[in-house]
Amino acid sequence: MDVTLKADGRGARAETRCRELSRAPYSEEADNLTRRFLTPEHRATIDRISVWMREAGMEPRVDAAGSLVARWEGATANAPALVLSLIHISEPTRQA
């Protein structure tokens, strides 16, 4: 199944980043997105997304389960924070 994303002005950066994360060194396979838990590709993806999070003003970290978690503090002293936890792994495609 071929899925083609159509980028507009608001989604172009997101599409570019998704495409970047679908290739080496973030995917184990050249023709399929495969990123298994605790592989070098998984680590590379965590490192890359962490850079983007820091650029956005977030504080990323890897939790005890190996998941990427980020916190974005509120703009004022008592404002609530936004906390994100990301799923960025995949499994190999199974051909029937």
Side-chain angles (χ1 to χ4, degrees):
M1 178 171 137
D2 180 31
V3 177
T4 303
L5 300 174
K6 301 293 183 201
D8 61 13
R10 298 171 303 218
R13 181 170 54 180
E15 180 182 1
T16 298
R17 289 179 174 183
C18 287
R19 289 187 187 282
E20 178 180 342
L21 294 176
S22 72
R23 298 184 298 266
Y26 312 107
S27 178
E28 297 172 42
E29 299 178 62
D31 57 347
N32 286 305
L33 171 57
T34 303
R35 182 182 311 118
R36 291 179 282 191
F37 189 57
L38 299 179
T39 61
E41 293 79 12
H42 178 251
R43 183 73 238 184
T45 302
I46 286 174
D47 293 344
R48 186 64 181 121
I49 295 173
S50 292
V51 168
W52 293 331
M53 289 177 156
R54 281 188 202 90
E55 289 172 354
M58 297 179 196
E59 299 171 24
R61 66 179 177 82
V62 177
D63 68 12
S67 298
L68 181 60
V69 179
R71 182 179 178 99
W72 194 3
E73 295 298 332
T76 60
N78 293 320
L82 173 66
V83 178
L84 302 172
S85 179
L86 301 177
I87 303 295
H88 49 274
I89 58 174
S90 70
E91 290 298 323
T93 302
R94 306 274 187 254
Q95 299 294 331

